[in-house]
Amino acid sequence: MAPPNTQKRVKGVSIFRPFVYGTTAKPFDPETNPKPEGTPADHTHSWTVFVKGVDDTDITYWCKKVQFKLHESIPNPLRTIENVQPGEAYEVHETGWGEFEITIKLYFVPESQEKPQTIYHHLRLHPYGNTEAEKEAMKTAPEIISWCYEEMVFNEPYENFYDVLTSPMDRSKGGKGGMGKGTRVMKGGMVGSVGERTALIPLTSRPGQPFSRETERNELRRLREAQHKVDEMISELKKEIEEKEAERAKLKGQA
């Protein structure tokens, strides 16, 4: 029997850690992506499902292992990945022909004493787009990327886990914890540390790393433009309705 938990939670504190999860798929091609020997004849793509830090930052100090539940038709559909190096991804490589939902379960380090958290992701093998230009661009894309940005929030973590999350030192080398150099206390009790252990995302995007403050700004601008367009459409529709109502009233008066 496990010993009773005598730790206290750090009240009034929430610590978040961003990460990225998703899939990357490549259609088989004799030149750019040849089919490995022994691959079933009906398999059309190679693909990877992963969980990693934003901008490849280390998440192993809070995420101990990741379990991926694949489609039951795939041999050994339950894959558990652990003992990855800091900065590397928890990932599974496979081949196939069909899309399906992947269950992803994140297990935290023992200091957290928290239950695993489950997320879901749809494996995407084929390009999708809203406009003809997007569809054409995706047809020639070397990879089909379906990535998601997410934040794991630890509300009032236990003292030892709080120490792990906020210490910039390498715990695997026996470093002592605490609010060390590089720790940043944010508004509302949010805590993030700079350096190797960070809750910040990059200022600008770069190839292979699409999530950044720049991406966020561009998305907000796109949403504002879409909202403006919707407002214009609503205004035009109201004007058209008013004109139709006036015409109906006129015809009714002549009857």
Side-chain angles (χ1 to χ4, degrees):
M1 180 180 294
N5 180 18
T6 59
Q7 290 189 62
K8 295 181 180 180
R9 289 187 176 272
V10 182
K11 299 297 184 180
V13 170
S14 291
I15 299 179
F16 74 94
R17 287 295 178 264
F19 65 98
V20 180
Y21 68 95
T23 55
T24 301
K26 296 182 181 180
F28 285 126
D29 181 91
E31 295 183 0
T32 60
N33 187 30
K35 184 179 292 189
E37 185 177 351
T39 302
D42 59 349
H43 285 198
T44 59
H45 292 73
S46 62
W47 54 266
T48 299
V49 57
F50 69 89
V51 173
K52 67 175 185 176
V54 176
D55 206 28
D56 295 328
T57 54
D58 180 28
I59 64 172
T60 61
Y61 65 95
W62 60 265
C63 182
K64 177 178 174 58
K65 62 183 179 181
V66 178
Q67 185 182 81
F68 300 92
K69 186 177 181 182
L70 312 179
H71 195 273
E72 293 181 356
S73 63
I74 298 175
N76 185 25
L78 198 61
R79 312 284 180 89
T80 300
I81 309 300
E82 55 185 329
N83 298 323
V84 303
Q85 294 299 311
E88 293 183 353
Y90 297 90
E91 59 186 4
V92 168
H93 304 278
E94 266 296 344
T95 64
W97 59 267
E99 300 182 349
F100 58 90
E101 186 176 70
I102 301 173
T103 302
I104 304 173
K105 184 177 288 188
L106 282 72
Y107 291 82
F108 306 118
V109 295
E111 292 91 340
S112 74
Q113 301 190 50
E114 300 289 353
K115 295 180 180 179
Q117 296 294 312
T118 302
I119 53 179
Y120 302 90
H121 186 76
H122 186 80
L123 169 64
R124 203 175 89 182
L125 300 182
H126 305 286
Y128 304 116
N130 296 322
T131 67
E132 290 301 320
E134 288 176 337
K135 293 177 182 178
E136 288 300 318
M138 290 180 179
K139 286 181 181 179
T140 58
E143 299 178 329
I144 295 88
I145 294 175
S146 179
W147 295 5
C148 298
Y149 171 91
E150 187 59 88
E151 293 178 354
M152 188 63 67
V153 180
F154 302 102
N155 290 313
E156 298 187 345
Y158 285 107
E159 294 169 329
N160 284 356
F161 191 41
Y162 174 85
D163 181 45
V164 170
L165 290 171
T166 59
S167 172
M169 302 179 68
D170 185 355
R171 301 289 297 184
S172 65
K173 296 180 180 179
K176 295 181 179 180
M179 290 285 286
K181 183 179 179 181
T183 299
R184 185 172 67 91
V185 180
M186 305 171 69
K187 292 182 179 179
M190 302 295 285
V191 178
S193 60
V194 298
E196 292 183 358
R197 297 183 176 178
T198 177
L200 305 178
I201 62 175
L203 294 177
T204 58
S205 301
R206 59 186 177 86
Q209 303 293 345
F211 299 102
S212 67
R213 296 298 179 188
E214 177 186 20
T215 305
E216 185 178 52
R217 289 193 299 271
N218 291 339
E219 183 66 12
L220 288 173
R221 182 170 61 251
R222 188 184 70 81
L223 291 173
R224 285 194 296 268
E225 291 173 352
Q227 182 63 54
H228 179 68
K229 185 174 182 179
V230 169
D231 291 341
E232 288 183 341
M233 294 173 65
I234 291 175
S235 179
E236 292 175 359
L237 184 59
K238 285 182 177 180
K239 183 178 180 181
E240 183 178 349
I241 291 174
E242 290 174 356
E243 291 175 351
K244 294 295 184 182
E245 288 291 340
E247 182 178 354
R248 187 178 70 87
K250 183 178 179 181
L251 293 173
K252 187 176 180 180
Q254 294 174 354

PDB file of all heavy atoms in Angstrom, residues 161-191:
ATOM      1  N   PHE A 161       5.660  19.084  -6.547  1.00  0.00           N
ATOM      2  CA  PHE A 161       5.459  19.300  -7.980  1.00  0.00           C
ATOM      3  C   PHE A 161       5.625  20.784  -8.323  1.00  0.00           C
ATOM      4  O   PHE A 161       6.168  21.129  -9.371  1.00  0.00           O
ATOM      5  CB  PHE A 161       4.082  18.793  -8.384  1.00  0.00           C
ATOM      6  CG  PHE A 161       3.875  18.730  -9.868  1.00  0.00           C
ATOM      7  CD1 PHE A 161       4.874  18.286 -10.710  1.00  0.00           C
ATOM      8  CD2 PHE A 161       2.659  19.101 -10.426  1.00  0.00           C
ATOM      9  CE1 PHE A 161       4.675  18.217 -12.091  1.00  0.00           C
ATOM     10  CE2 PHE A 161       2.454  19.035 -11.795  1.00  0.00           C
ATOM     11  CZ  PHE A 161       3.460  18.592 -12.628  1.00  0.00           C
ATOM     12  N   TYR A 162       5.144  21.632  -7.445  1.00  0.00           N
ATOM     13  CA  TYR A 162       5.353  23.076  -7.614  1.00  0.00           C
ATOM     14  C   TYR A 162       6.844  23.369  -7.717  1.00  0.00           C
ATOM     15  O   TYR A 162       7.293  24.164  -8.540  1.00  0.00           O
ATOM     16  CB  TYR A 162       4.727  23.819  -6.444  1.00  0.00           C
ATOM     17  CG  TYR A 162       4.998  25.306  -6.421  1.00  0.00           C
ATOM     18  CD1 TYR A 162       4.211  26.188  -7.136  1.00  0.00           C
ATOM     19  CD2 TYR A 162       6.045  25.827  -5.658  1.00  0.00           C
ATOM     20  CE1 TYR A 162       4.464  27.550  -7.112  1.00  0.00           C
ATOM     21  CE2 TYR A 162       6.305  27.181  -5.632  1.00  0.00           C
ATOM     22  CZ  TYR A 162       5.508  28.047  -6.354  1.00  0.00           C
ATOM     23  OH  TYR A 162       5.759  29.388  -6.336  1.00  0.00           O
ATOM     24  N   ASP A 163       7.620  22.697  -6.870  1.00  0.00           N
ATOM     25  CA  ASP A 163       9.066  22.866  -6.874  1.00  0.00           C
ATOM     26  C   ASP A 163       9.664  22.433  -8.216  1.00  0.00           C
ATOM     27  O   ASP A 163      10.514  23.106  -8.790  1.00  0.00           O
ATOM     28  CB  ASP A 163       9.665  22.049  -5.730  1.00  0.00           C
ATOM     29  CG  ASP A 163      11.170  22.177  -5.648  1.00  0.00           C
ATOM     30  OD1 ASP A 163      11.668  23.294  -5.758  1.00  0.00           O
ATOM     31  OD2 ASP A 163      11.835  21.136  -5.475  1.00  0.00           O
ATOM     32  N   VAL A 164       9.184  21.301  -8.746  1.00  0.00           N
ATOM     33  CA  VAL A 164       9.663  20.799 -10.037  1.00  0.00           C
ATOM     34  C   VAL A 164       9.322  21.768 -11.161  1.00  0.00           C
ATOM     35  O   VAL A 164      10.144  22.065 -12.028  1.00  0.00           O
ATOM     36  CB  VAL A 164       9.057  19.409 -10.330  1.00  0.00           C
ATOM     37  CG1 VAL A 164       9.337  18.983 -11.767  1.00  0.00           C
ATOM     38  CG2 VAL A 164       9.617  18.378  -9.367  1.00  0.00           C
ATOM     39  N   LEU A 165       8.088  22.256 -11.145  1.00  0.00           N
ATOM     40  CA  LEU A 165       7.631  23.125 -12.231  1.00  0.00           C
ATOM     41  C   LEU A 165       8.337  24.473 -12.253  1.00  0.00           C
ATOM     42  O   LEU A 165       8.555  25.046 -13.318  1.00  0.00           O
ATOM     43  CB  LEU A 165       6.117  23.352 -12.105  1.00  0.00           C
ATOM     44  CG  LEU A 165       5.222  22.147 -12.395  1.00  0.00           C
ATOM     45  CD1 LEU A 165       3.786  22.461 -12.007  1.00  0.00           C
ATOM     46  CD2 LEU A 165       5.296  21.765 -13.860  1.00  0.00           C
ATOM     47  N   THR A 166       8.694  24.982 -11.096  1.00  0.00           N
ATOM     48  CA  THR A 166       9.236  26.337 -11.038  1.00  0.00           C
ATOM     49  C   THR A 166      10.749  26.388 -10.966  1.00  0.00           C
ATOM     50  O   THR A 166      11.341  27.461 -11.092  1.00  0.00           O
ATOM     51  CB  THR A 166       8.660  27.096  -9.826  1.00  0.00           C
ATOM     52  OG1 THR A 166       8.977  26.385  -8.624  1.00  0.00           O
ATOM     53  CG2 THR A 166       7.159  27.252  -9.952  1.00  0.00           C
ATOM     54  N   SER A 167      11.399  25.252 -10.747  1.00  0.00           N
ATOM     55  CA  SER A 167      12.853  25.246 -10.674  1.00  0.00           C
ATOM     56  C   SER A 167      13.464  25.174 -12.062  1.00  0.00           C
ATOM     57  O   SER A 167      13.087  24.317 -12.864  1.00  0.00           O
ATOM     58  CB  SER A 167      13.341  24.056  -9.845  1.00  0.00           C
ATOM     59  OG  SER A 167      14.750  23.951  -9.935  1.00  0.00           O
ATOM     60  N   PRO A 168      14.432  26.051 -12.372  1.00  0.00           N
ATOM     61  CA  PRO A 168      15.102  25.986 -13.677  1.00  0.00           C
ATOM     62  C   PRO A 168      16.201  24.943 -13.711  1.00  0.00           C
ATOM     63  O   PRO A 168      16.840  24.751 -14.723  1.00  0.00           O
ATOM     64  CB  PRO A 168      15.673  27.390 -13.822  1.00  0.00           C
ATOM     65  CG  PRO A 168      15.982  27.808 -12.422  1.00  0.00           C
ATOM     66  CD  PRO A 168      14.887  27.196 -11.577  1.00  0.00           C
ATOM     67  N   MET A 169      16.437  24.246 -12.577  1.00  0.00           N
ATOM     68  CA  MET A 169      17.543  23.303 -12.488  1.00  0.00           C
ATOM     69  C   MET A 169      17.142  21.936 -13.017  1.00  0.00           C
ATOM     70  O   MET A 169      15.960  21.594 -13.061  1.00  0.00           O
ATOM     71  CB  MET A 169      18.012  23.177 -11.031  1.00  0.00           C
ATOM     72  CG  MET A 169      18.457  24.479 -10.413  1.00  0.00           C
ATOM     73  SD  MET A 169      18.967  24.318  -8.695  1.00  0.00           S
ATOM     74  CE  MET A 169      20.454  23.364  -8.890  1.00  0.00           C
ATOM     75  N   ASP A 170      18.116  21.145 -13.416  1.00  0.00           N
ATOM     76  CA  ASP A 170      17.897  19.808 -13.926  1.00  0.00           C
ATOM     77  C   ASP A 170      17.666  18.869 -12.755  1.00  0.00           C
ATOM     78  O   ASP A 170      18.588  18.519 -12.040  1.00  0.00           O
ATOM     79  CB  ASP A 170      19.116  19.358 -14.736  1.00  0.00           C
ATOM     80  CG  ASP A 170      18.891  18.001 -15.390  1.00  0.00           C
ATOM     81  OD1 ASP A 170      17.832  17.386 -15.133  1.00  0.00           O
ATOM     82  OD2 ASP A 170      19.760  17.562 -16.135  1.00  0.00           O
ATOM     83  N   ARG A 171      16.418  18.422 -12.579  1.00  0.00           N
ATOM     84  CA  ARG A 171      16.089  17.584 -11.431  1.00  0.00           C
ATOM     85  C   ARG A 171      16.766  16.211 -11.514  1.00  0.00           C
ATOM     86  O   ARG A 171      17.047  15.590 -10.511  1.00  0.00           O
ATOM     87  CB  ARG A 171      14.581  17.386 -11.351  1.00  0.00           C
ATOM     88  CG  ARG A 171      13.789  18.674 -11.210  1.00  0.00           C
ATOM     89  CD  ARG A 171      13.955  19.301  -9.858  1.00  0.00           C
ATOM     90  NE  ARG A 171      13.442  18.430  -8.802  1.00  0.00           N
ATOM     91  CZ  ARG A 171      13.388  18.777  -7.527  1.00  0.00           C
ATOM     92  NH1 ARG A 171      13.846  19.955  -7.140  1.00  0.00           N
ATOM     93  NH2 ARG A 171      12.904  17.956  -6.620  1.00  0.00           N
ATOM     94  N   SER A 172      17.048  15.733 -12.728  1.00  0.00           N
ATOM     95  CA  SER A 172      17.645  14.412 -12.875  1.00  0.00           C
ATOM     96  C   SER A 172      19.067  14.361 -12.336  1.00  0.00           C
ATOM     97  O   SER A 172      19.617  13.298 -12.108  1.00  0.00           O
ATOM     98  CB  SER A 172      17.650  13.997 -14.349  1.00  0.00           C
ATOM     99  OG  SER A 172      18.481  14.855 -15.106  1.00  0.00           O
ATOM    100  N   LYS A 173      19.682  15.518 -12.128  1.00  0.00           N
ATOM    101  CA  LYS A 173      21.034  15.568 -11.614  1.00  0.00           C
ATOM    102  C   LYS A 173      21.055  15.917 -10.129  1.00  0.00           C
ATOM    103  O   LYS A 173      22.080  16.293  -9.580  1.00  0.00           O
ATOM    104  CB  LYS A 173      21.855  16.586 -12.393  1.00  0.00           C
ATOM    105  CG  LYS A 173      22.027  16.199 -13.869  1.00  0.00           C
ATOM    106  CD  LYS A 173      22.853  17.219 -14.617  1.00  0.00           C
ATOM    107  CE  LYS A 173      22.999  16.815 -16.078  1.00  0.00           C
ATOM    108  NZ  LYS A 173      23.780  17.814 -16.841  1.00  0.00           N
ATOM    109  N   GLY A 174      19.896  15.831  -9.492  1.00  0.00           N
ATOM    110  CA  GLY A 174      19.835  16.031  -8.052  1.00  0.00           C
ATOM    111  C   GLY A 174      19.827  17.474  -7.632  1.00  0.00           C
ATOM    112  O   GLY A 174      20.135  17.791  -6.486  1.00  0.00           O
ATOM    113  N   GLY A 175      19.465  18.369  -8.553  1.00  0.00           N
ATOM    114  CA  GLY A 175      19.429  19.780  -8.190  1.00  0.00           C
ATOM    115  C   GLY A 175      18.330  20.065  -7.200  1.00  0.00           C
ATOM    116  O   GLY A 175      17.268  19.462  -7.226  1.00  0.00           O
ATOM    117  N   LYS A 176      18.571  20.954  -6.274  1.00  0.00           N
ATOM    118  CA  LYS A 176      17.556  21.318  -5.291  1.00  0.00           C
ATOM    119  C   LYS A 176      16.556  22.260  -5.920  1.00  0.00           C
ATOM    120  O   LYS A 176      16.899  23.097  -6.742  1.00  0.00           O
ATOM    121  CB  LYS A 176      18.213  21.978  -4.073  1.00  0.00           C
ATOM    122  CG  LYS A 176      19.129  21.027  -3.299  1.00  0.00           C
ATOM    123  CD  LYS A 176      19.722  21.712  -2.092  1.00  0.00           C
ATOM    124  CE  LYS A 176      20.624  20.739  -1.326  1.00  0.00           C
ATOM    125  NZ  LYS A 176      21.213  21.375  -0.132  1.00  0.00           N
ATOM    126  N   GLY A 177      15.326  22.146  -5.498  1.00  0.00           N
ATOM    127  CA  GLY A 177      14.269  22.933  -6.106  1.00  0.00           C
ATOM    128  C   GLY A 177      14.130  24.301  -5.485  1.00  0.00           C
ATOM    129  O   GLY A 177      14.978  24.780  -4.761  1.00  0.00           O
ATOM    130  N   GLY A 178      13.010  24.905  -5.777  1.00  0.00           N
ATOM    131  CA  GLY A 178      12.741  26.226  -5.229  1.00  0.00           C
ATOM    132  C   GLY A 178      12.512  27.228  -6.332  1.00  0.00           C
ATOM    133  O   GLY A 178      12.688  26.944  -7.498  1.00  0.00           O
ATOM    134  N   MET A 179      12.121  28.410  -5.943  1.00  0.00           N
ATOM    135  CA  MET A 179      11.906  29.482  -6.898  1.00  0.00           C
ATOM    136  C   MET A 179      13.274  30.046  -7.269  1.00  0.00           C
ATOM    137  O   MET A 179      13.770  30.992  -6.674  1.00  0.00           O
ATOM    138  CB  MET A 179      11.020  30.567  -6.284  1.00  0.00           C
ATOM    139  CG  MET A 179       9.585  30.127  -6.088  1.00  0.00           C
ATOM    140  SD  MET A 179       8.671  30.064  -7.618  1.00  0.00           S
ATOM    141  CE  MET A 179       8.448  31.813  -7.907  1.00  0.00           C
ATOM    142  N   GLY A 180      13.902  29.429  -8.229  1.00  0.00           N
ATOM    143  CA  GLY A 180      15.266  29.800  -8.588  1.00  0.00           C
ATOM    144  C   GLY A 180      15.323  30.858  -9.658  1.00  0.00           C
ATOM    145  O   GLY A 180      14.321  31.442 -10.060  1.00  0.00           O
ATOM    146  N   LYS A 181      16.516  31.070 -10.141  1.00  0.00           N
ATOM    147  CA  LYS A 181      16.755  32.060 -11.185  1.00  0.00           C
ATOM    148  C   LYS A 181      15.976  31.677 -12.434  1.00  0.00           C
ATOM    149  O   LYS A 181      15.937  30.531 -12.831  1.00  0.00           O
ATOM    150  CB  LYS A 181      18.245  32.106 -11.506  1.00  0.00           C
ATOM    151  CG  LYS A 181      18.612  33.159 -12.538  1.00  0.00           C
ATOM    152  CD  LYS A 181      20.106  33.149 -12.776  1.00  0.00           C
ATOM    153  CE  LYS A 181      20.487  34.183 -13.825  1.00  0.00           C
ATOM    154  NZ  LYS A 181      21.938  34.175 -14.084  1.00  0.00           N
ATOM    155  N   GLY A 182      15.391  32.654 -13.067  1.00  0.00           N
ATOM    156  CA  GLY A 182      14.632  32.403 -14.279  1.00  0.00           C
ATOM    157  C   GLY A 182      13.155  32.214 -14.044  1.00  0.00           C
ATOM    158  O   GLY A 182      12.411  31.976 -14.981  1.00  0.00           O
ATOM    159  N   THR A 183      12.707  32.292 -12.802  1.00  0.00           N
ATOM    160  CA  THR A 183      11.284  32.122 -12.510  1.00  0.00           C
ATOM    161  C   THR A 183      10.553  33.440 -12.688  1.00  0.00           C
ATOM    162  O   THR A 183      11.039  34.487 -12.294  1.00  0.00           O
ATOM    163  CB  THR A 183      11.085  31.617 -11.074  1.00  0.00           C
ATOM    164  OG1 THR A 183      11.730  30.349 -10.961  1.00  0.00           O
ATOM    165  CG2 THR A 183       9.611  31.465 -10.748  1.00  0.00           C
ATOM    166  N   ARG A 184       9.386  33.362 -13.276  1.00  0.00           N
ATOM    167  CA  ARG A 184       8.598  34.556 -13.531  1.00  0.00           C
ATOM    168  C   ARG A 184       7.205  34.368 -12.954  1.00  0.00           C
ATOM    169  O   ARG A 184       6.494  33.436 -13.324  1.00  0.00           O
ATOM    170  CB  ARG A 184       8.478  34.791 -15.043  1.00  0.00           C
ATOM    171  CG  ARG A 184       7.775  36.082 -15.418  1.00  0.00           C
ATOM    172  CD  ARG A 184       7.900  36.309 -16.912  1.00  0.00           C
ATOM    173  NE  ARG A 184       7.160  35.298 -17.655  1.00  0.00           N
ATOM    174  CZ  ARG A 184       5.902  35.435 -18.021  1.00  0.00           C
ATOM    175  NH1 ARG A 184       5.233  36.517 -17.707  1.00  0.00           N
ATOM    176  NH2 ARG A 184       5.285  34.491 -18.701  1.00  0.00           N
ATOM    177  N   VAL A 185       6.815  35.215 -12.005  1.00  0.00           N
ATOM    178  CA  VAL A 185       5.474  35.159 -11.420  1.00  0.00           C
ATOM    179  C   VAL A 185       4.565  36.061 -12.243  1.00  0.00           C
ATOM    180  O   VAL A 185       4.850  37.242 -12.421  1.00  0.00           O
ATOM    181  CB  VAL A 185       5.481  35.613  -9.950  1.00  0.00           C
ATOM    182  CG1 VAL A 185       4.080  35.540  -9.384  1.00  0.00           C
ATOM    183  CG2 VAL A 185       6.441  34.748  -9.136  1.00  0.00           C
ATOM    184  N   MET A 186       3.465  35.492 -12.739  1.00  0.00           N
ATOM    185  CA  MET A 186       2.582  36.211 -13.640  1.00  0.00           C
ATOM    186  C   MET A 186       1.333  36.670 -12.908  1.00  0.00           C
ATOM    187  O   MET A 186       1.080  36.288 -11.768  1.00  0.00           O
ATOM    188  CB  MET A 186       2.208  35.300 -14.815  1.00  0.00           C
ATOM    189  CG  MET A 186       3.437  34.747 -15.537  1.00  0.00           C
ATOM    190  SD  MET A 186       3.019  33.496 -16.740  1.00  0.00           S
ATOM    191  CE  MET A 186       2.174  34.501 -17.958  1.00  0.00           C
ATOM    192  N   LYS A 187       0.538  37.485 -13.577  1.00  0.00           N
ATOM    193  CA  LYS A 187      -0.688  37.990 -12.987  1.00  0.00           C
ATOM    194  C   LYS A 187      -1.631  36.850 -12.656  1.00  0.00           C
ATOM    195  O   LYS A 187      -1.711  35.862 -13.357  1.00  0.00           O
ATOM    196  CB  LYS A 187      -1.367  38.963 -13.961  1.00  0.00           C
ATOM    197  CG  LYS A 187      -0.599  40.259 -14.176  1.00  0.00           C
ATOM    198  CD  LYS A 187      -1.352  41.172 -15.115  1.00  0.00           C
ATOM    199  CE  LYS A 187      -0.613  42.487 -15.315  1.00  0.00           C
ATOM    200  NZ  LYS A 187      -1.324  43.375 -16.240  1.00  0.00           N
ATOM    201  N   GLY A 188      -2.348  37.020 -11.560  1.00  0.00           N
ATOM    202  CA  GLY A 188      -3.341  36.026 -11.180  1.00  0.00           C
ATOM    203  C   GLY A 188      -2.734  34.760 -10.618  1.00  0.00           C
ATOM    204  O   GLY A 188      -3.366  33.714 -10.600  1.00  0.00           O
ATOM    205  N   GLY A 189      -1.489  34.838 -10.150  1.00  0.00           N
ATOM    206  CA  GLY A 189      -0.873  33.660  -9.558  1.00  0.00           C
ATOM    207  C   GLY A 189      -0.285  32.700 -10.578  1.00  0.00           C
ATOM    208  O   GLY A 189       0.165  31.627 -10.217  1.00  0.00           O
ATOM    209  N   MET A 190      -0.302  33.062 -11.874  1.00  0.00           N
ATOM    210  CA  MET A 190       0.272  32.185 -12.875  1.00  0.00           C
ATOM    211  C   MET A 190       1.777  32.250 -12.784  1.00  0.00           C
ATOM    212  O   MET A 190       2.365  33.318 -12.633  1.00  0.00           O
ATOM    213  CB  MET A 190      -0.179  32.612 -14.276  1.00  0.00           C
ATOM    214  CG  MET A 190      -1.682  32.615 -14.455  1.00  0.00           C
ATOM    215  SD  MET A 190      -2.395  30.985 -14.328  1.00  0.00           S
ATOM    216  CE  MET A 190      -1.917  30.318 -15.904  1.00  0.00           C
ATOM    217  N   VAL A 191       2.417  31.101 -12.878  1.00  0.00           N
ATOM    218  CA  VAL A 191       3.859  31.042 -12.753  1.00  0.00           C
ATOM    219  C   VAL A 191       4.446  30.426 -14.001  1.00  0.00           C
ATOM    220  O   VAL A 191       3.983  29.411 -14.484  1.00  0.00           O
ATOM    221  CB  VAL A 191       4.267  30.188 -11.530  1.00  0.00           C
ATOM    222  CG1 VAL A 191       5.781  30.095 -11.422  1.00  0.00           C
ATOM    223  CG2 VAL A 191       3.691  30.793 -10.257  1.00  0.00           C
TER     224      VAL A 191
END
